[in-house]
Amino acid sequence: MNAILHDAVHESAHDTAGTQTAFALEGVAFAAGGRTLLHPLDLTIEHARVTGLVGHNGSGKSTLVKLLARQLDPAAGTIRYAGRPLAQWSAREFARQVAYLPQQTPLTDGMTVRELVALGRYPWHGALGRFNDDDAARVERAMRAADVLAHADRPVDVLSGGERQRAWLAMLVAQDCRCMLLDEPTAALDIGHQLAVLDLVRALCASGAMSAVVVLHDVNMAARFCDRIVALREGRLLMRERAADIIDPLRLESIYGVPMSVSVDPSSGRRLGFPA
């Protein structure tokens, strides 16, 4: 491992001093079908920050998010959320803290957007609890924040892919969680709504209300909206770096395995990476 990657992985302790931890992973690994999908790694994910997961296809990004979401159990190691091992959280407690949006969302069976978003309130009142005025207000605010209020009474099934994705995001906002886990949330969105969705996630984290872990394919979008970037390659942790530092030819080449160049956008001053 060269010096730049060694420094990125073994980040100094003072860099995160005083920052509350959302997830802490120690020696976490995962295997399936006799194949190791995630090699043992140690990782800290901070609260009130947007952490982007980047890497080529098959690098382990979705596996890592599923482990954080308790969709998979690690083959080795320990994952803690807010200082407690994941196994010590009840299902309802965990749902009040952590919301997960997978790449492939479940079928909605004719449900309206309002009904879907209202499901986000389920951890707070339960199957027999009453849906009260506060719940209704949170659902309304969530739909407005995700720009789907105009579709509130339409079936989710008839919406475009981008509209459906925003309806699911509204459900997560209504869940009033402390952490969002988003696996490629912008995949079905046009560029305008990609920017709007990531801006919403960033604003929620900047307010201190929550943290987010977001799988993104576009490293430039990740550098624009994330505070931290975690890069994986072939199931191994390659680096955990400040987003401002990730757009570097050597770092990008180590992530994607091809020569990369960097330029500066003259209008915004942002550094942009692209294949050389």
Side-chain angles (χ1 to χ4, degrees), residues 22-34:
F23 285 97
L25 292 76
E26 299 173 4
V28 172
F30 183 78

Side-chain angles (χ1 to χ4, degrees), residues 28-32 37-38 60-75 79 86 100:
V28 172
F30 183 78
L37 300 180
L38 202 64
K61 302 185 299 294
S62 292
T63 297
L64 178 55
V65 170
K66 288 176 182 177
L67 288 167
L68 299 179
R70 301 205 312 185
Q71 302 296 304
L72 298 173
D73 294 322
I79 304 175
L86 294 193
Y100 169 58

Side-chain angles (χ1 to χ4, degrees), residues 35-199:
R35 177 170 168 249
T36 300
L37 300 180
L38 202 64
H39 295 268
L41 60 83
D42 298 331
L43 179 65
T44 298
I45 295 173
E46 301 152 330
H47 179 66
R49 300 285 188 272
V50 183
T51 299
L53 297 184
V54 303
H56 58 76
N57 290 338
S59 62
K61 302 185 299 294
S62 292
T63 297
L64 178 55
V65 170
K66 288 176 182 177
L67 288 167
L68 299 179
R70 301 205 312 185
Q71 302 296 304
L72 298 173
D73 294 322
T78 302
I79 304 175
R80 291 181 171 83
Y81 176 77
R84 290 168 56 187
L86 294 193
Q88 292 184 8
W89 291 87
S90 71
R92 179 177 290 186
E93 278 184 316
F94 193 70
R96 289 178 173 182
Q97 294 286 325
V98 179
Y100 169 58
L101 184 66
Q103 285 188 39
Q104 301 296 326
T105 53
L107 296 176
T108 50
D109 297 326
M111 191 179 296
T112 68
V113 169
R114 190 185 303 276
E115 289 168 339
L116 173 64
V117 178
L119 290 179
R121 301 304 302 156
Y122 180 83
W124 296 97
H125 58 74
L128 300 178
R130 295 184 61 186
F131 188 86
N132 58 31
D133 291 342
D134 180 63
D135 293 317
R138 289 179 183 274
V139 167
E140 195 86 359
R141 287 198 298 269
M143 290 190 294
R144 184 176 293 108
D147 193 23
V148 292
L149 186 58
H151 306 300
D153 298 315
R154 296 181 65 194
V156 178
D157 297 342
V158 306
L159 302 180
S160 69
E163 290 165 344
R164 281 197 302 273
Q165 189 77 333
R166 286 185 283 121
W168 281 98
L169 284 166
M171 186 194 77
L172 267 63
V173 173
Q175 194 168 328
D176 195 26
C177 61
R178 297 278 288 165
C179 181
M180 283 187 181
L181 305 173
L182 309 173
D183 196 348
E184 297 188 37
T186 61
L189 304 181
D190 58 57
I191 187 65
H193 281 114
Q194 286 184 40
L195 295 172
V197 163
L198 293 176
D199 196 46

Side-chain angles (χ1 to χ4, degrees), residues 232-243:
L232 300 174
R233 187 168 184 186
E234 296 178 351
R236 290 180 169 84
L237 176 62
L238 190 62
M239 67 181 76
R240 174 185 176 276
E241 190 61 270
R242 286 180 289 267

Side-chain angles (χ1 to χ4, degrees), residues 5-20:
L5 297 188
H6 183 277
D7 290 343
V9 173
H10 300 282
E11 197 171 35
S12 59
H14 76 268
D15 189 56
T16 57
T19 301
Q20 184 182 352

